[in-house]
Amino acid sequence: MSNRHDVAVLGVGMHPWGKWGRNFVEYGIEAAHTALSDAGLQWRDVGFVAGADTIRNGYPGFIAGATMSQALGWKGNRIASCYAACASGAQALSIARSQILAGFCDVALVVGADTTPKGFFAPVGGDRPDDPDWLRFRLLGATNPTYFALYARRRMEMYGATQEDFAKVKAKNSRHGLTNPNARYHKEFTVEDVMSSAIVADPLHLLDICATSDGGAAVILSSMEYAKQHTTNPVRIAAISTATPTYPQTVIEMPNFSTDSAAAVGLPDRPFRDSIAWGAYEEAGLGPDDIDLAEVYDLSSALELDWY
Amino acid sequence: MSTKTRVPAIEGWFTADEQHPALLGTRCTACGSYFFPRETYFCKNPDCLGRDFEEVELSRTGTVWSFTNNCFEPPAPYMAPDPFVPYTIAAVQLEAEQMVVLGQVVPGFDPADLHAGMEVELVLDTLYEDDEHEYLVWKWNPIGATAGAATATAATEASR
């Protein structure tokens, strides 16, 4: 089954995740070279670069599309740079797909890389009392795990989930990562390991929360026509869903102090999470019954369960 | 008794009435949507072109939607005491406004003392201080609950 929104994935590449202490551009370029090699293409074949931004690496991070293109060698291709926090990669993929489907290019490179400090993420520096991201640290001391933990505790209060349930998610994921040379950890964490790690934000333990990492990833996308000239059975992207919530969003979202008010406007037909999956199914012309495998990731073990 | 001057940690987010403080939000005069912190430019309802807002005091009580704590010192601009003291945070559902508002819980309450649906009221409490001032912020105070009660109960049960 195919539709007119399909694009092909010709190659993928990744720089291993860890604490390497090098410039983020190196991780991105290594991933891009691996993806090009995987696709059997040259940098000269790429007509468009979508860069997923990082806000932790200064100006080069804000203009990732240009930074990566310059590092690979200027050759006059078009670029885009986009920031969507942890969804920057999906957003960059969506932009590249649009360029291909609009007919502006045949082959696009999507690339993102980052370096992260140890410990809690902090807001951008300086005294900025009109920035909600700055204010939530100042007035509440609300870190990112604060929000992850509010969802986790809500799940426990509503549905009787336990900290052991959350720990099992981490144990499962660490098992899957064991044989992946790019994985952040090559250690099989047990439920007991998770349960005996420090509580960061009750009910979440340190090992329930995403580890900060350095690394990079890249994907080579192409039009279906181009792909058919290079391979017999290309992997296709049938849908990318990157929608906002619908007002009123009544689940608290980082970095906000409050939810929207549902006093004057009724709740949307579908809550935010459901609407994202709905959008993907609708675009692909597929339904849950057509799916054999779901690879699910979120920022805490408990959040992963919220998607199921 | 402290002789420091008590001042709000941020202007215009809550009333200075220490006995019965209230969060200050706004309400769109066209569609009736509430906003906190105050919205004064454009209504966030996608079907509303409202640009006029009235200041409103939000409900002083609500029910706990969820809660957590922070066991490690967060980065600046949080003004952490030295040594760092962990604190509890609650997300509280306000009935009239149909919205959830975050706030620290008054000192002494652990997550073990809280549960979803518990009634809380708004109070003003010290967020941080310097030599001359105590900087105040809103916090949620559980109604009819005792700080550390869960820990005390657990200790009692363990000793039986």
Side-chain angles (χ1 to χ4, degrees):
Chain A
M1 195 161 133
S2 65
N3 66 45
R4 63 195 173 85
H5 298 307
D6 285 353
V7 293
V9 177
L10 291 186
V12 295
M14 193 175 271
H15 182 286
W17 297 89
K19 285 291 185 189
W20 313 117
R22 305 206 313 271
N23 189 301
F24 79 104
V25 181
E26 291 184 33
Y27 313 138
I29 298 310
E30 189 165 320
H33 279 153
T34 307
L36 281 167
S37 164
D38 188 38
L41 296 178
Q42 308 296 315
W43 166 230
R44 288 272 177 197
D45 298 321
V46 173
F48 182 81
V49 174
D53 286 358
T54 155
I55 58 169
R56 280 170 286 274
N57 293 277
Y59 184 69
F62 300 147
I63 55 161
T67 299
M68 297 299 175
S69 293
Q70 184 180 28
L72 287 161
W74 292 134
K75 58 178 187 56
N77 55 274
R78 297 187 193 192
I79 56 166
S81 304
C82 68
Y83 185 70
C86 300
S88 298
Q91 199 93 292
L93 204 63
S94 175
I95 291 168
R97 181 180 70 151
S98 302
Q99 290 283 323
I100 291 168
L101 293 177
F104 290 128
C105 68
D106 291 321
V107 178
L109 164 67
V110 181
V111 56
D114 206 353
T115 61
T116 54
K118 193 173 161 59
F120 292 119
F121 283 173
V124 174
D127 207 30
R128 297 187 339 284
D130 57 352
D131 173 352
D133 197 44
W134 187 91
L135 282 168
R136 57 136 167 165
F137 280 91
R138 170 60 69 102
L139 298 177
L140 293 174
T143 63
N144 293 8
T146 296
Y147 291 82
F148 312 158
L150 288 172
Y151 304 140
R153 177 57 71 177
R154 178 70 180 173
R155 190 175 180 84
M156 292 171 76
E157 295 285 304
M158 289 297 103
Y159 309 116
T162 65
Q163 288 172 302
E164 284 82 2
D165 293 340
F166 304 153
K168 283 176 186 170
V169 173
K170 171 66 178 183
K172 180 261 295 176
N173 289 350
S174 73
R175 198 161 60 242
H176 289 166
L178 270 183
T179 53
N180 185 342
N182 296 318
R184 172 72 165 88
Y185 296 109
H186 300 98
K187 172 174 164 38
E188 185 167 358
F189 291 100
T190 64
V191 169
E192 292 70 37
D193 290 334
V194 181
M195 294 294 287
S196 61
S197 64
I199 293 270
V200 172
D202 181 280
L204 297 179
H205 295 85
L206 180 66
L207 290 175
D208 283 306
I209 298 165
C210 57
T212 57
S213 314
D214 302 356
V219 177
I220 304 292
L221 293 188
S222 82
S223 64
M224 291 306 295
E225 294 69 32
Y226 187 94
K228 280 166 191 162
Q229 294 160 23
H230 286 77
T231 180
T232 50
N233 190 19
V235 172
R236 292 176 292 116
I237 294 181
I240 304 172
S241 182
T242 56
T244 70
T246 296
Y247 185 91
Q249 161 61 314
T250 54
V251 175
I252 189 77
E253 294 269 1
M254 199 162 74
N256 299 338
F257 283 84
S258 74
T259 65
D260 291 334
S261 157
V265 180
L267 295 177
D269 291 343
R270 289 174 203 88
F272 185 32
R273 273 202 181 75
D274 298 21
S275 73
I276 295 171
W278 179 271
Y281 285 132
E282 193 169 64
E283 195 172 276
L286 299 171
D289 292 345
D290 301 309
I291 306 298
D292 294 322
L293 175 73
E295 186 172 341
V296 178
Y297 170 76
D298 215 316
L299 301 166
S300 81
S301 55
L303 263 172
E304 186 179 314
L305 294 178
D306 281 348
W307 285 101
Y308 294 144
Chain B
M1 195 65 195
S2 170
T3 54
K4 294 180 182 179
T5 310
R6 288 162 72 83
V7 295
I10 188 164
E11 289 293 338
W13 283 41
F14 47 85
T15 64
D17 180 347
E18 293 231 20
Q19 296 307 311
H20 302 285
L23 293 172
L24 288 172
T26 55
R27 190 173 187 218
C28 172
T29 57
C31 77
S33 290
Y34 291 90
F35 298 98
F36 177 80
R38 52 198 300 125
E39 181 57 63
T40 54
Y41 295 104
F42 303 99
C43 183
K44 288 173 175 161
N45 170 0
D47 299 312
C48 181
L49 292 173
R51 298 194 56 176
D52 293 317
F53 298 86
E54 56 180 344
E55 184 174 274
V56 288
E57 294 187 3
L58 301 188
S59 301
R60 293 196 56 255
T61 60
T63 53
V64 171
W65 183 84
S66 190
F67 50 92
T68 181
N69 62 359
N70 201 347
C71 302
F72 294 93
E73 183 174 332
Y78 187 70
M79 307 286 276
D82 185 15
F84 172 68
V85 180
Y87 47 88
T88 300
I89 290 176
V92 172
Q93 173 86 33
L94 304 183
E95 183 61 30
E97 296 81 2
Q98 287 291 297
M99 67 198 295
V100 169
V101 179
L102 296 182
Q104 284 192 7
V105 178
V106 293
F109 284 95
D110 293 327
D113 299 319
L114 305 178
H115 60 83
M118 179 181 258
E119 203 174 354
V120 294
E121 71 171 336
L122 196 84
V123 296
L124 298 186
D125 191 35
T126 305
L127 178 64
Y128 62 97
E129 47 193 290
D130 58 23
D131 289 344
E132 288 98 40
H133 302 95
E134 282 179 33
Y135 295 90
L136 303 181
V137 76
W138 76 93
K139 291 185 184 178
W140 296 112
N141 186 30
I143 297 173
T146 312
T151 317
T153 307
T156 309
E157 282 170 2
S159 68
R160 279 176 188 155

